[in-house]
Structure formats: structure tokens, C-alpha cells
Amino acid sequence: MRTLLGALLLAAACLPALAASCPKPLRIGFSDVALAPMLMGSGPGFQDPPGWGVQAARDALRRLGCTAELVRQPGRRLLRGLEVGELEFALFFSATTERLRGMRFPVDAAGRADATWAPVVGHLALYGLAGSPALKAWDGSTLAAGVRVGVVAGSVQETLARDRHWPVEAASSFETSVLALRARRFELLLSARESLPLSQLSGEDALVELAPLVERLPYFAPASRAVHAQHPEFVADFWRELCLATRRLSPESRGQDCGRPPR
């Protein structure tokens, strides 16, 4: 009995230390646009079930013994919230040069975003409208001359398209980029497959994905500079647990085990 009591007291004594390692406040942001099955429903609230992306974050927090406020906001507001410290993490975003300056990602020895711990590895592809001649404009390495590509301003897609010297038309948001494609402001849309709601990929007016893929694109849970500076061990632990939780809940979103470079 004394041994059992001693063990219980030792466990109780460890609880405050565990709780103290959790940042306070701890706020995690998600897009307010539905991306089923990763994120269900649109708007400021979470559906039940909320989608595997939200569940992965909750599982990671549970394993770390922490609680957090989960919020949904428009994508640009999420990024701004990280930059000014109104959020500690946001899911899921690719790394750009600007984002690497304004927020924190897991990085390798060269200072590049480390895809071995990216919880999601997306499929970056070109999309067009059914019947459009532009559906034959991509051969996997070259884009036909005169074909304009739509992107979201400030996104990694814009950087990639400009680096390849493609004619680019920038939209203010993901939603407006799809509307602009349908309005024929440009011929093809460069987007991650995971960012397109299922409603855009099915039905009579579905967007058509061109093959082959343009690139595999890692997505992360960037942290604010403040939480990374104050709680570096927790941030690293959260990134690890989130990757592992995503691998368990949605193995197709992370084709290789966490800690291994994606293919």
C-alpha cells in the first residue's frame, strides 16, 4: 500500500510540471473553408465530426497533456495572426520565403523547411475547365505558350509559377481564384488538390486535373515566432506528435513515415 501511495504522490507531483510546459495561451487556427474530409463544414464553428485535421491536432495535444483554443478564420487572417502573435499555430500551410521570415517551421541544417516532419504532403496540380483546349497545354515539364495560370497572391503556387516564368494572374483568395477560372480570366489554375473542395472536383462543371502532377508540396503547422522562442521544446514536440497523428488518421495524406523524406 505504501508503495502504491508513493507512486500516486509522485505522479501527482509531476502533473504541475507537465502543465507548466504547455504554452498559455495556446491557440491553434484552422481555415474557415471546408476541405473535406480534412476539415468539415464552413464558417467559424467546428462540425461534429470536425474532420481528421482537427482530430489530429486534438490527439497531439492530448499526448502532450495540453489544452488549446481551436479557432477557424480566413486563411489570410490566420497567417496574420501568427505573424503578430494572436495565434500560436495554424494548420496547414506551405512554406514560402516570406512565411519563413514571419513565422517558424521545422527546418533542416540548411534552413529550409524540413519536409520529413510535414504532417501533410499535398499534390500540386494544374486545373482547367472541361472542354478547354488548355487541358492539353501541360506535358509534365513545359506549359504551352500563351496559357495563363491563376494563383493565389502570396502563395507558394505563385512563387513556383513565377520561377518557371509562366504568365500569372493573381487572385486575392482561394475562393476568388476558382471563380476567376470559371469566369475565364485565365485558362488554368495552379492549386493543391487538397485545397479544392470535393464539390469542385465532381459534377457536370467539375474542374479537371491535368496529369502529371506539377509537384509534391509539403504542408506544415507553422508556429508564431513568440511561442517558438519561449517554448522551443514544446513546439518541436507538437510538430512531431501532429505528424504522427496525421499518419495514423489519414495515411494517404502522408505517404511515408514521419521523419522520412516524402516521395
Side-chain angles (χ1 to χ4, degrees):
M1 180 62 72
R2 288 181 179 178
T3 301
L4 176 59
L5 181 59
L8 291 173
L9 290 173
L10 178 61
C14 291
L15 287 177
L18 180 63
S21 68
C22 303
K24 294 184 184 300
L26 180 52
R27 299 156 296 194
I28 302 177
F30 298 82
S31 172
D32 63 351
V33 177
L35 297 171
M38 180 175 68
L39 183 59
M40 305 297 291
S42 298
F46 291 93
Q47 281 194 185
D48 186 15
W52 62 257
V54 180
Q55 188 57 52
R58 288 174 174 168
D59 283 3
L61 290 167
R62 177 177 54 81
R63 287 174 179 269
L64 293 171
C66 298
T67 60
E69 178 187 2
L70 307 186
V71 299
R72 298 189 69 177
Q73 297 174 349
R76 294 169 76 94
R77 185 175 171 189
L78 290 175
L79 292 173
R80 179 61 178 163
L82 282 178
E83 291 174 346
V84 302
E86 293 176 353
L87 296 172
E88 280 62 58
F89 295 92
L91 284 64
F92 293 103
F93 287 94
S94 55
T96 65
T97 301
E98 182 179 359
R99 292 174 187 173
L100 284 166
R101 288 195 298 263
M103 54 200 72
R104 295 293 177 258
F105 292 77
V107 294
D108 60 20
R112 297 168 300 199
D114 188 357
T116 61
W117 291 102
V120 176
V121 180
H123 303 74
L124 189 61
L126 289 162
Y127 292 87
L129 302 175
S132 169
L135 295 180
K136 299 180 180 180
W138 170 246
D139 64 5
S141 60
T142 305
L143 187 69
V147 174
R148 297 165 300 169
V149 177
V151 295
V152 176
S155 67
V156 69
Q157 291 91 325
E158 180 181 20
T159 300
L160 185 149
R162 293 192 186 280
D163 285 348
R164 298 189 181 200
H165 305 291
W166 292 348
V168 169
E169 295 283 344
S172 60
S173 68
F174 167 75
E175 296 85 353
T176 56
S177 70
V178 175
L179 293 175
L181 174 65
R182 295 193 182 281
R184 292 173 171 76
R185 277 182 45 197
F186 42 79
E187 290 75 39
L188 296 175
L189 172 65
L190 182 60
S191 176
R193 183 189 300 162
E194 291 74 14
S195 297
L196 289 170
L198 295 178
S199 59
Q200 300 288 353
L201 300 175
S202 59
E204 294 182 359
D205 60 346
L207 303 187
V208 179
E209 182 178 302
L210 279 64
L213 290 173
V214 175
E215 196 170 292
R216 297 298 300 276
L217 183 64
Y219 286 88
F220 301 88
S224 71
R225 289 174 295 182
V227 75
H228 188 266
Q230 297 167 12
H231 302 275
E233 292 183 1
F234 172 83
V235 170
D237 288 345
F238 180 75
W239 282 336
R240 183 187 67 251
E241 292 297 342
L242 179 65
C243 186
L244 294 171
T246 299
R247 182 81 172 116
R248 289 191 300 270
L249 293 169
S250 181
E252 68 277 7
S253 298
R254 167 81 205 188
Q256 287 75 43
D257 289 337
C258 296
R260 298 177 58 188
R263 294 175 296 172

